[in-house]
Amino acid sequence: MTHIVHLQDVCKSFVTEHGQTVCALEKTNLEVTRGEFVCIVGPSGCGKSTLLRIISGLEHADSGQITCAGRPGNKPHRDVGMVFQEYSVLPWRTVLDNVCLGLEFVQEKKSTRIQRATQYLGLVGMARFANAFPYELSGGMRQRVAIARALATGPQVLLMDEPFGALDAHTRILMQKELLRIWRETQKTVILVTHSVDEAVYLADRIVVMTARPGRIRDVIRIDLDHPRERRNPLYGQMTARILDILEEEVVTAGEFCTHS
């Protein structure tokens, strides 16, 4: 079994503007197998996004070892693609030019940029909007463009930080289905951070459940349900309830909410 992402004893702290040190991640260990779809859930502020940024190389850990796609995780590189929650497409560039952006950074020649951008716009169902501008697109369409841009550089690992958080409920469900299709067709390794337990159970091979701050990995739960998954399946509901119970316990333990009998 080949691990494409490996984290060992990763720690990260921040200093607030008031000079207070806040521990975001503490002794975090994780291994992700090539081709897996892994979702990360946890209480608000537990370091989920920080963990993703450390894997991507956008953030440096204070200590610990990080390997991603065969390289130390200390700086961004083209083997790791990133999709953010915000619609990160540039409003002054066409859809095609937005998807070409990452290829420009790695100095691919123009003909290659256009060919690869066109290929991945086709993959996400946006080929006919290649000459449109972002203001002409819906939220879901803009996020498809962001996914195409992340894939166009040919990454081995696709990192996604709440990619559907800003979408309405119906569009979010449609985008979940689209993401699974893209994952199956590209066979990429996907690590997705989400606040939605339902979304994690619908998508993931395994779900990483984090503790309240300081963030550590409390449980890694395998989802043994075939795709496409039916939300009406009793096992689906049981898995969702199990993870929600763990998260509630973490929040109560951290003292963020009180429970009353």
Side-chain angles (χ1 to χ4, degrees), residues 197-214:
V197 173
D198 171 81
E199 182 167 83
V201 174
Y202 186 79
L203 294 172
D205 293 322
R206 291 189 300 150
I207 298 176
V208 174
V209 184
M210 297 186 67
T211 66
R213 184 186 294 167

Side-chain angles (χ1 to χ4, degrees), residues 8-15 21-26 50 54 59-66:
Q8 182 176 355
D9 294 337
V10 171
C11 299
K12 178 67 178 179
S13 296
F14 296 97
V15 178
T21 300
V22 176
C23 182
L25 293 171
E26 184 177 75
T50 299
I54 286 173
E59 199 86 56
H60 286 181
D62 296 333
S63 60
Q65 296 181 350
I66 305 102

Side-chain angles (χ1 to χ4, degrees), residues 224-259:
D224 290 320
L225 296 171
D226 293 334
H227 289 293
R229 291 175 182 163
E230 288 287 340
R231 288 176 163 92
R232 295 170 293 182
N233 185 334
L235 294 177
Y236 186 105
Q238 291 168 19
M239 192 65 66
T240 302
R242 175 185 171 189
I243 297 170
L244 285 170
D245 286 345
I246 294 172
L247 293 177
E248 181 178 354
E249 182 180 323
E250 280 299 319
V251 169
V252 171
T253 301
E256 295 185 23
F257 294 98
C258 295
T259 56

